[in-house]
Amino acid sequence: NASRYFRHLIKWPQSTTLRIIGPVCLVFQLWSFLFYAAYKTFITKHITTTTTGLNVLPLTSSAVALLLTLRTNQSLTRLQEARLAWGRLILHSRDLASLITTYLPPPYSTAACRHLALIGWSLKARLRPSEDDSDVLQTCLTPSESAYILSQRKHTVALLRSARVIVSSVPRLPPAPHEALLRQFHELNGCLGTCERLISSPSPPTYTRHTSRVLLSWLAFVPVSLALAGAGAAAVQATTLLVTYFLVGIDEIGVQLEQPFQLLPLNSLAGALMCDVRDEMEGVGGVP
């Protein structure tokens, strides 16, 4: 719907990106004002106005564009990988719950599915250190089960291990279903490993620092080049402000995308995983 453009313009003052990069924009706005004032007061007496100043920016703009493009592409790749990992986690959890409720008797299937349904909430708490999963674990598990899970370093791995132990303790489980169950456990473990890799291996700090330094240095020369080209005070300040907002905003979006689990709706995803497991537990008895 094309109306989104007008809606976005109306809500521009409420932009979270604007609030974050606003101080940077103001600093370069002040720099453009001070440089232009100094240029008109002192420099014009000794330097003739020329267009050669504009040549500095095109020579380096391709490098700035390349750095920002690589940064944004890498961040988008991390976001896409995180989305796919959670999608596979929900899919394999649902398949595993279906196998458990089909081949395991109720005492075992109920216990295994209770652990399986909580993996999403524990993974959410692990990916967001400010959140805690102790309440949901203590509510859905028995005191002894929750105490064991909370005593482990990785609650998600402990939940998966407990569910695997419950499945392995079922007497006289046929080899084919047992192998299918273990295969689904392996897939779930891979999804957890992908999420842990994304959160523990961000982009190299050297690349982030170099991008910021190059970008800020390039922006500092924008008012210089405009003033040397003969632009007026209003044009210098307005152009500097807009260019700073555009480029620093792109860099800030790349920084935010680098932490995909802060952007994904993990609460909804964890709830969807739990509901799918619950549906498998409740629906097995109604299958004709």
Side-chain angles (χ1 to χ4, degrees):
N1 193 339
S3 63
R4 71 180 185 275
Y5 296 111
F6 301 101
R7 184 173 64 254
H8 294 166
L9 284 176
I10 294 173
K11 295 185 177 180
W12 199 345
Q14 305 173 14
S15 170
T16 55
T17 302
L18 178 61
R19 289 199 296 268
I20 295 174
I21 69 174
V24 180
C25 295
L26 292 178
V27 168
F28 279 97
Q29 178 78 351
L30 178 61
W31 159 244
S32 66
F33 172 78
L34 294 176
F35 175 81
Y36 191 84
Y39 172 76
K40 284 298 183 180
T41 304
F42 304 106
I43 302 179
T44 52
K45 298 179 180 179
H46 307 285
I47 298 180
T48 304
T49 301
T50 178
T51 59
T52 56
L54 289 174
N55 295 330
V56 177
L57 297 184
L59 288 175
T60 56
S61 59
S62 58
V64 175
L66 179 61
L67 286 172
L68 292 177
T69 301
L70 291 177
R71 170 66 172 274
T72 305
N73 288 343
Q74 184 183 33
S75 300
L76 286 172
T77 300
R78 289 171 58 86
L79 178 62
Q80 179 67 8
E81 193 171 1
R83 294 175 60 186
L84 292 176
W86 268 91
R88 292 194 303 269
L89 181 70
I90 296 175
L91 173 64
H92 292 301
S93 297
R94 183 168 60 245
D95 289 344
L96 181 56
S98 179
L99 291 172
I100 289 175
T101 54
T102 301
Y103 293 105
L104 271 63
Y108 297 96
S109 62
T110 302
C113 285
R114 278 194 291 106
H115 288 78
L116 184 62
L118 299 178
I119 287 180
W121 298 108
S122 289
L123 181 59
K124 172 174 170 282
R126 178 166 179 79
L127 299 176
R128 293 178 178 175
S130 61
E131 300 190 14
D132 184 27
D133 62 342
S134 58
D135 290 341
V136 67
L137 291 175
Q138 293 171 353
T139 301
C140 298
L141 300 177
T142 64
S144 58
E145 291 172 342
S146 61
Y148 167 74
I149 299 298
L150 292 173
S151 66
Q152 301 300 302
R153 184 170 62 91
K154 296 182 179 180
H155 297 172
T156 51
V157 177
L159 286 169
L160 201 61
R161 184 192 310 123
S162 297
R164 187 186 293 112
V165 170
I166 294 171
V167 170
S168 301
S169 63
V170 177
R172 296 184 298 276
L173 183 64
H178 194 190
E179 182 180 354
L181 287 165
L182 293 180
R183 188 161 50 248
Q184 292 298 326
F185 276 117
H186 176 74
E187 294 292 343
L188 280 178
N189 203 20
C191 296
L192 298 179
T194 299
C195 293
E196 290 183 351
R197 174 174 58 80
L198 289 173
I199 196 174
S200 61
S201 57
S203 299
T206 302
Y207 181 81
T208 302
R209 290 193 294 265
H210 183 69
T211 301
S212 299
R213 291 163 182 165
V214 171
L215 178 59
L216 295 180
S217 300
W218 190 89
L219 291 173
F221 278 98
V222 170
V224 177
S225 297
L226 292 174
L228 292 177
V236 170
Q237 295 184 40
T239 303
T240 302
L241 179 62
L242 288 177
V243 172
T244 302
Y245 175 78
F246 294 154
L247 295 185
V248 177
I250 294 174
D251 183 61
E252 176 60 29
I253 291 173
V255 172
Q256 294 180 14
L257 292 176
E258 189 179 340
Q259 301 296 331
F261 300 114
Q262 301 298 326
L263 302 176
L264 292 178
L266 298 188
N267 193 69
S268 299
L269 293 173
L273 190 154
M274 173 176 276
C275 289
D276 285 350
V277 174
R278 184 189 60 191
D279 291 343
E280 292 295 338
M281 293 177 62
E282 296 176 350
V284 66
V287 176

